[in-house]
Amino acid sequence: MSEDFPLTIGQLANQAGVHVQTLRYYENEGLLVPSARTAGGQRRYSRADCQRLHFIRHAREFGFSIEQIRELIDLAAQGNRSCAEIDAIARRHREDVRRRIRLLRELETELDRMVDECAGGRVTECRVLEVLGNHDLCRTDHGHAGESSEPT
Amino acid sequence: MSEDFPLTIGQLANQAGVHVQTLRYYENEGLLVPSARTAGGQRRYSRADCQRLHFIRHAREFGFSIEQIRELIDLAAQGNRSCAEIDAIARRHREDVRRRIRLLRELETELDRMVDECAGGRVTECRVLEVLGNHDLCRTDHGHAGESSEPT
DNA sequence: CTCTTACCTACAGTCACTGTAGGTTCAAGC
DNA sequence: GCTTGAACCTACAGTGACTGTAGGTAAGAG
């Protein structure tokens, strides 16, 4: 299952469960530059590169942005400093997640009312269309709950 | 406050609280084609156009995608049909919202553990970095909670 | 008739990838 | 050493729902 280091891009992608293009993208973004290349220009990833990728992937699963991960990696490299800045990034992200949950729950409430009140007749008397056409039928000021393009 | 119809793009944008470019984008997408243009080529929006925009904006606030809104408008135009398809779109969307809430709550749990356990010392002993570097420290299989690029 | 404001089209940028085209390198088998 | 096929390379376009910009045109007031 485990292969010898250094790994090719395909071996690393396979091991980490990401696409080859994703690794090239991370390199472009300066997150994961392979520690070597062959004479012919092919990427070779060391064990440290591999650990770094796992850190990046895990942080992505936690919903941190590429930019935040870049900051985390930069801060992590200065082991002697206080970890206050790292904590601040994580706390800010948690606030963001909480805010998104709040907005989505308001949205769910409105969707529940809309869907449950529709008696299922003709289109002309559809409650869903009625609610969408008239903001006064909403209980909460759901304002901008669903439309922002923020990640889940 | 209210202006006479037909409205210019700027007047309509102002009234609806969207950017002028957004209206041009909706036209490109076939969602809101103004019912007239001046001899010089400037857009003029009727009262019906205005109502349609409010429908679109409200649906966007509900988190429906442009594609879903296109379908809703198409279905709404066939007033005599059963509204089952409209309900289905709304129900599917509600399921999606619920799934996103579930994933975000798992994420919040992990972030809570991570942030709360960090004692705030040096970077080298930072719990946040430790958790991100080692998936075994997670309680749940948060897998793909935070990384998908779905809208809030 | 001028001036300013608002409008026009067309295109690039956002985010975190994903997909494609067209060409090159590597490692294995002969 | 040579051939073959898989994996690799770069560069660029596309996703969704906008937002921002450049360079030019129309409308309406004075």
Side-chain angles (χ1 to χ4, degrees), chain A residues 75-91:
Chain A
L75 290 167
Q78 307 169 35
N80 208 24
R81 290 175 61 162
S82 151
C83 73
E85 289 174 72
I86 290 170
D87 285 10
I89 292 173
R91 276 172 210 278

Side-chain angles (χ1 to χ4, degrees), chain B residues 33-105:
Chain B
V33 180
S35 45
R37 291 244 183 178
T38 65
Q42 298 199 357
R43 293 164 180 84
R44 290 298 178 262
Y45 292 90
S46 69
R47 192 182 294 271
D49 293 337
C50 177
Q51 279 168 7
R52 184 152 172 163
L53 175 59
H54 284 299
F55 179 92
I56 293 168
R57 286 312 303 161
H58 206 189
R60 286 291 299 130
E61 285 168 8
F62 267 86
F64 289 100
S65 69
I66 294 293
E67 179 55 32
Q68 285 173 322
I69 295 171
R70 217 193 312 270
E71 287 176 45
L72 288 174
I73 288 175
D74 281 0
L75 290 168
Q78 307 169 33
N80 208 24
R81 291 174 60 162
S82 151
C83 74
E85 288 174 72
I86 290 171
D87 285 10
I89 291 174
R91 276 172 211 278
R92 236 179 291 126
H93 181 49
R94 181 173 63 172
E95 273 320 299
D96 210 53
V97 168
R98 286 180 177 162
R99 189 181 49 80
R100 263 139 64 187
I101 292 171
R102 263 199 320 278
L103 291 172
L104 282 172
R105 292 178 73 164

Side-chain angles (χ1 to χ4, degrees), chain A residues 127-137, chain B residues 51 54-56 58-59:
Chain A
R127 183 67 175 174
V128 172
L129 293 182
E130 201 180 341
V131 172
L132 289 179
N134 184 358
H135 200 132
D136 299 340
L137 297 173
Chain B
Q51 279 168 7
H54 284 299
F55 179 92
I56 293 168
H58 206 189

Side-chain angles (χ1 to χ4, degrees), chain A residues 5-64:
Chain A
F5 291 94
L7 302 179
T8 67
I9 195 169
Q11 288 167 335
L12 180 59
N14 219 269
Q15 203 221 55
V18 302
H19 291 150
V20 161
Q21 296 101 309
T22 303
L23 296 180
R24 294 201 268 250
Y25 169 71
Y26 287 160
E27 180 173 356
N28 255 330
E29 294 300 306
L31 281 190
L32 183 68
V33 180
S35 46
R37 292 245 185 175
T38 64
Q42 298 198 356
R43 294 166 180 82
R44 290 297 179 263
Y45 293 90
S46 69
R47 191 181 296 271
D49 294 336
C50 177
Q51 280 168 5
R52 184 151 172 165
L53 175 60
H54 284 298
F55 179 92
I56 294 168
R57 287 312 303 163
H58 206 190
R60 285 292 299 131
E61 285 168 7
F62 268 85
F64 290 100

Side-chain angles (χ1 to χ4, degrees), chain A residues 104-124:
Chain A
L104 282 172
R105 291 178 72 168
E106 284 177 26
L107 192 53
E108 189 193 10
T109 303
E110 290 296 339
L111 282 168
D112 278 344
R113 293 211 311 131
M114 189 166 95
V115 166
D116 294 344
E117 283 179 8
C118 188
R122 303 272 140 205
V123 162
T124 43

